[in-house]
Amino acid sequence: MEVQRSVAATPRLSASWRRSEDYGIPLDAVNPAFSGGVDDGSLFYDCGQEVLRGLRDTLSNEPVSMMLTDAAGLVLSRVCDEKSLVSALDKTYLAPGFAFSEREAGTNGLGLALADRAPSLVRGEEHYCTGLWGYTCAAAPVMDPVHGRLLGSVNLTTWSDKSDGLLLALARTAAGHTSTLMLARSRGAEPRPTPKGEVFRVFSASRDAPPAPDLGETWGAALAEVVAALRAGRTVGVVGEAGVGKTALLAAALRLVRRDHRILNARPPDPRDAESWLALWTPELAKDRTSVIVGGADTLPLWAASELATIVTAARGASLAVTASDAGGIPRPLATLLDVVVELPPLRRRPDDVLPLAEHFGRAARGREVRFTPAAARALRTFAWPGNAEQLRRVVRDAVTRGDVVDAKHLAPEVLCGSSRTLTRIETLERDEIARVLAEPGITVTRAAKSLGMSRATIYRKITQYGIRPE
């Protein structure tokens, strides 16, 4: 069945229609999957609901349905006072418990916002299924303010014959308020930094490389697996937690296998900059002997991943490698190009790598050899490193500003503590001061308590509370 559309398609919309066709979505019916239940106990849900209730007052006289969805497009909640709109939405299953991703319902506002990780407006006949032509949907993705993960979306739906006016702006504002409210209730957690605009880092495989640290068996096994795949002409992906060293692993392998190649390291863009980011790929990939590392492939808008896959496939002599948090998150157009996916374990599972990495980072920051005292080395090895190698790099960089010999007292207080609970700002200040005093040479808990104006019972309780490890 072919449907005649009277709308002009944007590149994003055309790409979404093509994906909907590839998914086998019927043109004349909406048959989303029903989950039978939703997760209503998360911080995301609580904050999103509070924001939607506030927006409900603003739109009290408007025929608008406000919805919260998870990252898979499952509708978690719906707020709407217009009875006729509620009844119509129920007939198209746009209701809590039903999944409305592109894969389930074709092109629609919330599905497009989740696929491209960007605010999206889909009007009337822009929907893939004719059953949704009666609606206009505006949606904006909600991102985890601390970790940067896609959490879900805020979706506003009205009749297609109504003016969409500020609908998209309201959806974007509601998504932003949800993320901000989550951060405010995260007990002092710091927001994830936004992309700084750096797109490419280009370096030579045979030059520009400082001596690599001698790391342990786990790293060596992952490196050997990537090297073997590259030598066999296979396309490789490396997955693992943020900051674990995925790009470093790929770069090390490429230096060994393709010594005459330029290595192009492309960091993921802000979704709003994806179009200009893509525009830089074609001329770079046209150059001979180029190896490309696409970082954070799981954060790319789906349309951008599809365009990138097309560009890479058409390029001659260029090789592609990608990194992502997990294999399942790699967009399908890029995932189909991968022959091998290697997992790099987090630093907490590679304790033998901590000190060699610390010495490597110290040498790079200081410009000469740096030594760690036994107390500092012990503190570094026993810390869990939730931020992995990137966190270790930051801690070492700050510590070596004090000299060529790093003692425990030079390390950030977070390293001397083992608490996994997120602290308030006041608790963080208190923890840091206790850890600083306890790191002084020759200090005892009794003397530390006196210096801090605490009783011995109080400081012991605080040490337990904050997971401080006195030397």
Side-chain angles (χ1 to χ4, degrees):
M1 174 182 176
E2 186 172 344
V3 175
Q4 298 296 323
R5 303 175 191 269
S6 60
V7 297
T10 64
R12 283 183 61 203
L13 199 59
S14 295
S16 179
W17 287 347
R18 288 194 299 270
R19 291 194 298 268
S20 299
E21 185 177 8
D22 291 342
Y23 295 146
I25 303 297
L27 287 165
D28 57 351
V30 183
N31 296 302
F34 180 64
S35 72
V38 300
D39 178 12
D40 58 2
S42 67
L43 179 63
F44 165 60
Y45 181 90
D46 290 342
C47 293
Q49 280 294 92
E50 185 169 332
V51 169
L52 290 188
R53 284 194 293 268
L55 188 59
R56 180 184 200 168
D57 296 335
T58 303
L59 300 174
S60 58
N61 296 319
E62 299 294 332
V64 176
S65 173
M66 294 159 281
M67 302 174 213
L68 192 69
T69 82
D70 68 8
L74 179 70
V75 180
L76 302 177
S77 69
R78 186 180 69 188
V79 177
C80 183
D81 296 325
E82 175 88 5
K83 291 184 178 180
S84 60
L85 181 57
V86 169
S87 177
L89 292 174
D90 284 344
K91 292 177 182 178
T92 56
Y93 309 108
L94 192 46
F98 287 91
F100 258 75
S101 67
E102 282 185 344
R103 191 178 291 275
E104 300 289 347
T107 303
N108 67 88
L110 72 88
L112 185 57
L114 294 172
D116 286 352
R117 297 172 183 249
S120 302
L121 180 68
V122 178
R123 306 176 182 88
E125 294 180 22
E126 293 176 345
H127 289 90
Y128 185 78
C129 294
T130 59
L132 297 176
W133 281 13
Y135 307 104
T136 289
C137 300
V142 179
M143 311 303 292
D144 187 317
V146 177
H147 303 292
R149 296 188 299 266
L150 177 66
L151 297 175
S153 73
V154 170
N155 176 58
L156 305 183
T157 297
T158 188
W159 303 111
S160 60
D161 60 354
K162 298 292 182 181
S163 171
D164 51 67
L166 298 176
L167 208 62
L168 184 59
L170 287 172
R172 184 187 290 114
T173 299
H177 286 174
T178 299
S179 184
T180 301
L181 188 58
M182 289 182 65
L183 182 63
R185 294 182 179 176
S186 294
R187 298 181 59 83
E190 294 294 331
R192 181 177 184 265
T194 56
K196 300 298 184 182
E198 180 184 10
V199 178
F200 293 129
R201 181 182 174 217
V202 182
F203 51 95
S204 167
S206 57
R207 302 186 304 273
D208 308 330
D214 185 15
L215 301 182
E217 292 183 5
T218 302
W219 172 275
L223 179 61
E225 189 174 356
V226 175
V227 166
L230 291 174
R231 284 178 173 156
R234 297 184 174 183
T235 304
V236 184
V238 176
V239 299
E241 295 179 4
V244 78
K246 300 182 290 292
T247 297
L249 179 70
L250 282 170
L254 286 166
R255 287 189 180 106
L256 292 171
V257 178
R258 303 201 172 111
R259 297 180 179 274
D260 60 341
H261 273 218
R262 295 180 318 134
I263 300 175
L264 187 67
N265 176 19
R267 300 175 184 272
D270 185 290
R272 295 168 296 184
D273 300 329
E275 187 171 354
S276 58
W277 182 79
L278 278 171
L280 297 175
W281 281 90
T282 303
E284 291 296 332
L285 287 176
K287 298 175 182 177
D288 292 336
R289 296 184 298 276
T290 298
S291 293
V292 179
I293 302 173
V294 179
D298 50 337
T299 68
L300 286 176
L302 193 52
W303 73 269
S306 181
E307 290 294 320
L308 178 56
T310 300
I311 293 170
V312 171
T313 302
R316 295 182 178 180
S319 67
L320 172 74
V322 306
T323 73
S325 296
D326 62 85
I330 300 174
R332 186 166 174 256
L334 290 176
T336 56
L337 299 180
L338 300 181
D339 301 309
V340 177
V341 176
V342 177
E343 181 179 4
L344 183 59
L347 194 56
R348 61 182 172 274
R349 287 167 50 192
R350 298 154 39 207
D352 291 342
D353 289 352
V354 172
L355 196 55
L357 281 173
E359 292 169 343
H360 174 72
F361 294 149
R363 184 167 53 249
R366 191 75 175 166
R368 52 183 179 268
E369 294 298 321
V370 172
R371 185 171 66 84
F372 293 84
T373 66
R378 184 165 56 252
L380 292 173
R381 280 196 300 266
T382 56
F383 186 59
W385 298 111
N388 291 296
E390 281 302 312
Q391 184 183 15
L392 175 60
R393 185 199 303 271
R394 173 178 57 79
V395 167
V396 170
R397 186 183 62 234
D398 292 344
V400 298
T401 60
R402 298 168 174 82
D404 295 339
V405 178
V406 177
D407 193 15
K409 66 181 180 181
H410 300 138
L411 299 175
E414 66 197 76
V415 178
L416 306 176
C417 305
S419 175
S420 59
R421 178 174 65 88
T422 303
L423 306 179
T424 65
R425 296 186 186 278
I426 297 298
E427 288 174 327
T428 299
L429 290 172
E430 183 179 56
R431 179 206 66 182
D432 290 357
E433 183 62 12
I434 294 173
R436 183 192 64 79
V437 172
L438 287 171
E440 292 292 333
I443 196 75
T444 64
V445 174
T446 300
R447 288 173 59 190
K450 184 176 180 180
S451 174
L452 292 165
M454 296 179 178
S455 68
R456 287 184 62 199
T458 298
I459 195 170
Y460 274 116
R461 178 169 55 82
K462 296 290 185 181
I463 288 171
T464 301
Q465 175 184 343
Y466 296 134
I468 300 172
R469 298 188 296 271
E471 290 299 333

